Amino acid sequence: MSPDTDTEARRQGRIVVVGASLAGLRAAETLRDQGFTGSLTMIGDEPYEPYDRPPLSKQALLGRARPEDTALPRRCDVDAAWRLGVAAEGLDRDAKQVRLVNGDTVSYDRLLIATGTRARPWIHPEEAALDGVFVLRTRDDSTHLHRKLTSGVSRVLVIGAGFTGSEVASACRELGLEVTVAERGPAPLVGALGGVIGAAADRLQRSKGVDLRCGVSVTALEGDYGGRLRRAHLSDGTAIDAEVAVVSLGAVRNTEWLAGSGVAAGPRGVACDAGCRVFDVNGIVTDDIYAAGDVARSPHPLFDYQFLSLEHWGNAVEQAEIAAHNMICAGTKRIPHLWVPMFWSSQFGINIKSVGVPPLGDQLVVTQGSLTEERFVAVYGYRGRVIAAATFDRAKWLGFYQEQIAAGAPFPPEYRTVDRRTETLQPVDPDFPDPHLPTHGPTVTLSGHSPSERRVQFVPSRA
């Protein structure tokens, strides 16, 4: 494929998308919608065409939707060759080929990496193999877990109180099951939203009957002679009887297949520029390899050019569309990925949403509602400007705060609101855990550059 002209880029060539995911599908649709008529190959390690993952920890666990009914709607016919149920295991950049686990190779002119993430497994393989130990990431995971939860079990252990773990615990309580949640941090959601908001989530879970154990880790899972889970041992010396354990310890980015390829890929994801072009290991941008979705990490000018790896539904869609556009456009017509991160979760009857990057915040103030009433808006500041907002049942304010973040509005906010409480009029430390410790929040890694403006203009010297 020649990148010299838009016409040639759109008409011919071979594009390969590794990752039959939300990002992969939206990229394929965008390619066709913008006039790409060359060959398009979609590679996926699961045997299913792209499906929606958020319902798997919500409606599917409650039996309100079948996992097999979560297929993503198609915006257009992508006219692709689908290679499903076969994972990529290597990349040869010189030959421009993707190597598959079955020994086949697929040649490309442009490549999109959209391999996403997988659930982090339990640390001891022999314990992870016990009947009753689950992770939740895929369609099959949800099917098997729902079947187990509705088979007459009495107590469930959830290991990790991030968003997925908290949603699983919420579903279990709604099913009438006794639930213990073990969280190594001081509160639920602490890695993503900080300890101040985590305290509100703590009260919420306890009020719904969750046996919440914070500040402890699960040290071992014990099975019976038949290989069935029966007990979990905690770091505080206690033990919990449980027939089901759901391991919710975050995600692992699927980058191992890129080892030795010369691509800048590792546990934090695949590094790319704001136009989704992938860097090589020397920091040189490639022009034929792109990345999008959960596996990508790219700098964002709104957040001091720190590299962001975001496990957000909306980010996957937006980044995929931009990557696809840039793959078939000449340099001057390429566009940057400047989406303001947005995330949502439904748990224990509360709709939790955030915009921006809360873990970057160094101050927090509640601008609407009250933490004690579990209906509020909390705004995060970073170096004197608004950087993020999180809401509990106050989602109508998110659009406003998205505009504040994009405009670099000053923090603390200068406006008054009609339902602001006196309990948090002054900014406080949001109380995020030590960034060197593992958390369940989005990965944010400093790139080493901290400009203060979103956009800059070059002015030549008059000297």
Side-chain angles (χ1 to χ4, degrees):
M1 178 188 299
S2 170
D4 296 334
T5 69
D6 289 351
T7 300
E8 290 182 12
R10 284 183 167 87
R11 187 179 64 241
Q12 62 184 346
R14 303 162 298 178
I15 291 181
V16 173
V17 177
V18 182
S21 57
L22 169 65
L25 177 61
R26 292 297 179 250
E29 292 171 334
T30 301
L31 288 167
R32 293 307 190 197
D33 185 60
Q34 295 194 7
F36 175 66
T37 57
S39 73
L40 180 59
T41 302
M42 306 288 292
I43 299 170
D45 60 346
E46 293 186 66
Y48 313 114
E49 292 193 8
Y51 58 86
D52 204 14
R53 295 188 189 275
L56 300 181
S57 59
K58 303 177 181 72
Q59 296 95 323
L61 281 191
L62 293 170
R64 296 172 183 167
R66 298 184 306 169
E68 56 266 33
D69 294 332
T70 59
L72 288 165
R74 299 291 181 86
R75 301 191 299 202
C76 66
D77 180 12
V78 298
D79 186 25
W82 293 86
R83 302 293 300 270
L84 299 177
V86 54
E89 73 167 5
L91 172 64
D92 185 334
R93 292 174 57 210
D94 292 329
K96 288 196 169 186
Q97 289 182 335
V98 175
R99 186 174 67 256
L100 307 182
V101 293
N102 62 3
D104 290 349
T105 58
V106 182
S107 299
Y108 66 86
D109 295 303
R110 295 275 166 89
L111 171 68
L112 176 64
I113 300 170
T115 44
T117 63
R118 64 185 184 276
R120 188 179 300 279
W122 182 238
I123 54 177
H124 303 298
E126 67 281 3
E127 297 175 4
L130 290 171
D131 180 12
V133 179
F134 296 85
V135 295
L136 180 56
R137 174 66 183 174
T138 69
R139 212 177 94 172
D140 289 343
D141 292 338
S142 185
T143 297
H144 297 151
L145 179 56
H146 171 70
R147 186 177 301 138
K148 188 70 172 182
L149 293 177
T150 55
S151 67
V153 300
S154 58
R155 177 171 288 276
V156 177
L157 168 66
V158 178
I159 306 174
F163 280 110
T164 298
S166 296
E167 289 171 1
V168 170
S170 175
C172 289
R173 290 301 297 141
E174 198 163 343
L175 290 170
L177 301 172
E178 296 298 318
V179 183
T180 296
V181 176
E183 165 57 43
R184 62 194 169 207
L189 312 183
V190 67
L193 300 178
V196 173
I197 306 304
D202 184 300
R203 292 190 297 271
L204 174 63
Q205 294 200 16
R206 295 183 193 277
S207 72
K208 299 299 183 179
V210 173
D211 175 22
L212 181 61
R213 314 277 186 99
C214 293
V216 298
S217 299
V218 175
T219 57
L221 298 175
E222 178 185 339
D224 62 16
Y225 289 110
R228 295 178 293 269
L229 175 69
R230 285 294 176 259
R231 187 171 293 108
H233 297 270
L234 306 184
S235 58
D236 61 3
T238 61
I240 298 170
D241 291 334
E243 298 153 275
V244 176
V246 183
V247 181
S248 299
L249 296 177
V252 179
R253 287 171 174 81
N254 294 317
T255 60
E256 293 87 351
W257 68 282
L258 295 167
S261 67
V263 167
R268 291 173 174 165
V270 179
C272 57
D273 69 6
C276 304
R277 296 182 301 172
V278 168
F279 290 113
D280 70 12
V281 292
N282 297 310
I284 299 174
V285 72
T286 64
D287 203 48
D288 56 354
I289 305 177
Y290 293 71
D294 295 0
V295 76
R297 54 187 298 260
S298 60
H300 199 304
L302 276 180
F303 306 106
D304 282 353
Y305 284 88
Q306 296 200 43
F307 275 78
L308 304 183
S309 299
L310 300 167
E311 298 170 35
H312 295 175
W313 197 96
N315 178 73
V317 172
E318 179 78 10
Q319 196 170 33
E321 292 175 348
I322 288 172
H325 170 87
N326 290 344
M327 291 174 86
I328 57 174
C329 284
T332 57
K333 294 185 178 180
R334 289 175 178 156
I335 55 179
H337 177 52
L338 299 177
W339 185 74
V340 178
M342 187 175 292
F343 179 80
W344 71 276
S345 174
S346 179
Q347 52 187 266
F348 302 103
I350 298 292
N351 190 9
I352 302 173
K353 292 190 175 184
S354 73
V355 64
V357 182
L360 194 59
D362 53 21
Q363 289 186 303
L364 177 145
V365 65
V366 175
T367 56
Q368 281 91 35
S370 167
L371 294 175
T372 58
E373 296 173 4
E374 295 158 3
R375 290 173 60 86
F376 59 85
V377 178
V379 180
Y380 297 79
Y382 176 69
R383 296 183 178 178
R385 62 188 179 93
V386 175
I387 201 73
T391 68
F392 277 42
D393 278 351
R394 283 286 193 273
K396 67 179 181 180
W397 287 96
L398 278 187
F400 170 75
Y401 284 106
Q402 183 175 3
E403 294 174 357
Q404 296 287 295
I405 295 166
F411 182 92
E414 298 176 338
Y415 43 82
R416 301 186 65 83
T417 57
V418 295
D419 61 346
R420 185 171 179 174
R421 304 292 191 265
T422 58
E423 62 183 81
T424 48
L425 286 174
Q426 298 301 318
V428 297
D429 186 335
D431 194 22
F432 283 101
D434 186 334
H436 298 96
L437 299 177
T439 70
H440 303 112
T443 299
V444 182
T445 306
L446 183 64
S447 69
H449 186 50
S450 299
S452 59
E453 299 294 335
R454 179 177 184 177
R455 299 181 185 278
V456 295
Q457 181 179 6
F458 175 70
V459 179
S461 171
R462 298 181 182 274

